[in-house]
Amino acid sequence: MKTITRLDLEDARVLIAGAEAHAREIGVPMCIAVVDESAQLIAFERMEGGKVTSTTIALDKAFTAAGAKKATHEYGASSQPGAPAYGIFSAIGGRLMVVGGGLPIAFDGAVVGGIGVSSGTPAQDQAVAQAGIDHWLAQQK
């Protein structure tokens, strides 16, 4: 049985390839970031036409997902005025993201990294991130 405790560059390339394939399928060029379990960047790609402003957003989505071990969209409702985590988006120097597109990458129940995607709607970003994870997981069998 395969054991993975952290992502490496080869894993990051597989994740990006899966994400990029889905982004092309839906016709939205994306910025895609992959980080390791400690939220440090392994690989990044800005597809031709990906928004320049989405570079930082994708990096911060991946950082949030791996560091907090939680999908970025899960912070959305709880970070609104009056909610328990209101203002959390300003945490960690403003790097904590509260919109969809950042997902933790888990293997055998442990978070081994994160993927962050930006340039589309939050739902598109999240779907592209999930496609990257699904592609990577299929390679692990």
Side-chain angles (χ1 to χ4, degrees):
M1 174 182 238
K2 195 171 194 176
T3 301
I4 298 172
T5 58
R6 62 177 301 155
L7 299 176
D8 60 21
L9 184 56
E10 182 179 327
D11 294 315
R13 288 180 175 148
V14 171
L15 284 150
I16 289 172
E20 184 178 350
H22 189 69
R24 289 190 192 291
E25 191 176 298
I26 65 171
V28 181
M30 298 285 193
C31 293
I32 306 161
V34 176
V35 300
D36 65 17
E37 79 291 349
S38 60
Q40 296 302 302
L41 182 65
I42 301 172
F44 174 83
E45 180 174 330
R46 180 166 77 75
M47 295 172 64
E48 188 69 35
K51 296 175 186 172
V52 174
T53 54
S54 292
T55 298
T56 301
I57 296 168
L59 292 166
D60 287 352
K61 285 180 179 181
F63 175 87
T64 300
K69 298 180 179 10
K70 186 174 183 176
T72 55
H73 69 274
E74 293 178 23
Y75 284 110
S78 64
S79 66
Q80 299 304 308
Y86 176 64
I88 196 167
F89 54 84
S90 65
I92 318 169
R95 291 197 67 189
L96 198 130
M97 296 299 296
V98 299
V99 295
L103 297 173
I105 302 165
F107 190 80
D108 283 339
V111 173
V112 295
I115 184 169
V117 176
S118 185
S119 279
T121 66
Q124 288 171 325
D125 294 351
Q126 186 174 330
V128 169
Q130 187 62 58
I133 293 171
D134 292 345
H135 180 69
W136 178 76
L137 286 172
Q139 305 284 320
Q140 306 313 309
K141 295 180 181 186

